[in-house]
């Protein structure tokens, strides 16, 4: 059933700038997660890593929620919180961690990046969001860039049918989780929605508790610190800034923004891991950034990215 968002006033420029800054923070932190996952994944299995990350994130978010005294979100937020908690926080993280162990990095990069396309299509179908030409064009360019980045990473592992299925499952869970979260943000702040979404994801991963305890006893300190980092920054902080930005634009446009992640990963791997990018990696990164620029550019005629006023929805305060 299609849900049509309530038209709200277009956000003032200062609020749009904060939303863009929040989206940029999310993209950079999610890109850094790939570097940390590579280290932590050598000592922790997929389910244990997801549980450790989510438990850390839930503790940090819960502490902030108590300090800010925001309390529980309104009743209307809970269907979206539960769905996004199970699909995005839980299933997506386990499937992605597992899938990246079963396929080479190039295949994983290309398969997971169908997520933003699915997000735009689901947003149009379920939330009544438009599919403006600039968004579609920009996403097409960015996806081509993600494919080029993936081609530059081939040969660094093996692939299996199971790994391909897991990466596609991760992409679907990611897209469905984001689209489920969008309506919830009309009934609570980003901090509230993501705190309880993260907690639900952690509860869904509780069957991995025994494995986490066993692996933590033998894991090197660096791997455990990387797991904690994943919980504090790419989860607690980045999901909150994501929610803040998502409440002020469409799911499709936010999904298109995440296509900057492959380009930043290439740069971070070069700086932090001394992995010199291939010519294909550089070309793909440039294409990803160009596509993001196109998808978020302002169309002639006033509305941003070719969307109507509802696309700039939720110009309300976010608990602050």
């Amino acid at each position: 059933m299609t849900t049509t968002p309530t038209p709200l006033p277009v956000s003032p420029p200062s609020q749009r700038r904060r939303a863009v800054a929040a989206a940029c923070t999310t993209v950079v932190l999610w890109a850094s997660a790939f570097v940390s996952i590579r280290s932590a994944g050598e000592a922790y299995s997929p389910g244990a890593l997801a549980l450790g990350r989510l438990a850390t994130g839930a503790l940090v978010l819960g502490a902030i929620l108590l300090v800010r005294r925001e309390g529980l979100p309104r009743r209307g937020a809970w269907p979206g919180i539960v769905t996004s908690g199970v699909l995005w926080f839980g299933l997506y993280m386990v499937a992605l961690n597992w899938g990246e162990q079963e396929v080479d990095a190039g295949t994983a990069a290309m398969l997971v990046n169908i997520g933003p396309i699915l997000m735009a299509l689901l947003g149009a179908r379920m939330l009544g969001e438009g599919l403006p030409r600039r968004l579609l064009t920009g996403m097409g360019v960015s996806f081509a860039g993600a494919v080029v980045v993936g081609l530059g990473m081939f040969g660094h592992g093996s692939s299996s049918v199971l790994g391909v299925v897991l990466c596609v499952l991760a992409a679907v869970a990611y897209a469905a989780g984001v689209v489920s979260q969008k309506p919830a943000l009309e009934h609570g702040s980003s901090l509230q929605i993501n705190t309880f979404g993260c907690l639900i994801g952690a509860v869904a991963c509780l069957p991995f508790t025994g494995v986490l305890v066993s692996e933590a006893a033998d894991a090197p300190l660096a791997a455990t610190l990387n797991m904690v980092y994943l919980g504090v920054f790419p989860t607690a902080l980045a999901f909150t800034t994501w929610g803040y930005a998502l409440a002020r634009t469409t799911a499709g446009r936010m999904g298109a923004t995440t296509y900057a992640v492959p380009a930043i990963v290439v740069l971070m791997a070069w700086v932090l891991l001394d992995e010199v990018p291939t010519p294909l990696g550089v070309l793909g990164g440039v294409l990803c950034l160009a596509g993001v620029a196109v998808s978020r550019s302002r169309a002639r005629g006033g509305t941003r990215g070719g969307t109507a006023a509802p696309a700039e929805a939720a110009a309300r305060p976010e608990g602050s």
Side-chain angles (χ1 to χ4, degrees):
M1 182 175 65
T2 301
T3 301
T4 303
T6 304
L8 294 174
V10 174
S11 305
S14 61
Q15 196 168 67
R16 287 201 297 268
R17 286 194 293 270
R18 288 196 295 271
V20 170
C24 291
T25 299
T26 297
V27 166
V28 172
L29 290 176
W30 281 356
S32 75
F34 285 88
V35 178
S36 292
I37 289 173
R38 187 173 305 180
S39 172
E42 295 177 358
Y44 290 97
S45 58
L49 178 58
L51 176 57
R53 174 180 178 176
L54 289 168
T56 302
L59 286 172
V60 172
L61 288 169
I64 297 173
L65 192 73
L66 288 174
V67 170
R68 291 177 60 88
R69 299 181 179 179
E70 290 198 22
L72 297 173
R74 295 190 295 275
R75 182 181 301 177
W78 285 100
I81 291 174
V82 172
T83 304
S84 64
V86 172
L87 292 179
W88 191 11
F89 286 90
L91 179 59
Y92 166 76
M93 291 192 183
V94 175
L96 180 61
N97 292 344
W98 190 1
E100 288 191 352
Q101 293 183 357
E102 297 290 329
V103 301
D104 60 68
T107 301
M110 287 186 288
L111 292 175
V112 172
N113 274 295
I114 69 174
I117 296 175
L118 295 175
M119 199 183 303
L121 296 176
L122 287 173
R125 177 69 181 86
M126 305 301 294
L127 304 178
E129 296 177 354
L131 289 172
R133 183 177 302 175
R134 284 174 179 263
L135 174 62
L136 294 175
T137 301
M139 293 185 79
V141 173
S142 290
F143 183 72
V147 171
V148 172
V149 170
L151 291 174
M153 299 164 69
F154 273 125
H156 297 284
S158 59
S159 297
S160 69
V161 174
L162 174 61
V164 171
V165 171
L166 286 167
C167 287
V168 172
L169 178 61
V172 173
Y174 165 43
V178 170
V179 173
S180 299
Q181 188 188 69
K182 170 70 174 174
L185 290 163
E186 298 177 4
H187 303 282
S189 71
S190 176
L191 177 59
Q192 290 173 317
I193 303 306
N194 284 290
T195 296
F196 292 102
C198 189
L199 180 60
I200 289 170
V203 170
C205 291
L206 282 179
F208 301 106
T209 301
V211 180
L212 174 61
V213 172
S214 174
E215 292 176 349
D218 300 323
L221 179 60
T224 301
L225 289 177
N226 272 287
M227 183 173 66
V228 172
Y229 170 83
L230 287 168
V232 175
F233 294 99
T235 303
L237 177 56
F239 274 75
T240 302
T241 53
W242 166 276
Y244 180 91
L246 179 62
R248 290 156 176 79
T249 186
T250 65
R253 282 168 59 80
M254 280 300 293
T257 303
T258 64
Y259 275 121
V261 169
I264 299 173
V265 170
V266 169
L267 179 61
M268 285 186 170
W270 185 14
V271 174
L272 300 176
L273 303 177
D274 291 326
E275 295 181 359
V276 179
T278 64
L280 280 177
V282 174
L283 175 61
V286 170
L287 285 174
C288 286
L289 293 177
V292 172
V294 170
S295 66
R296 296 195 65 90
S297 61
R298 184 186 295 273
R300 292 191 182 95
T303 55
R304 195 168 176 77
T307 59
E312 299 290 348
R316 54 176 172 74
E318 189 80 18
S320 61

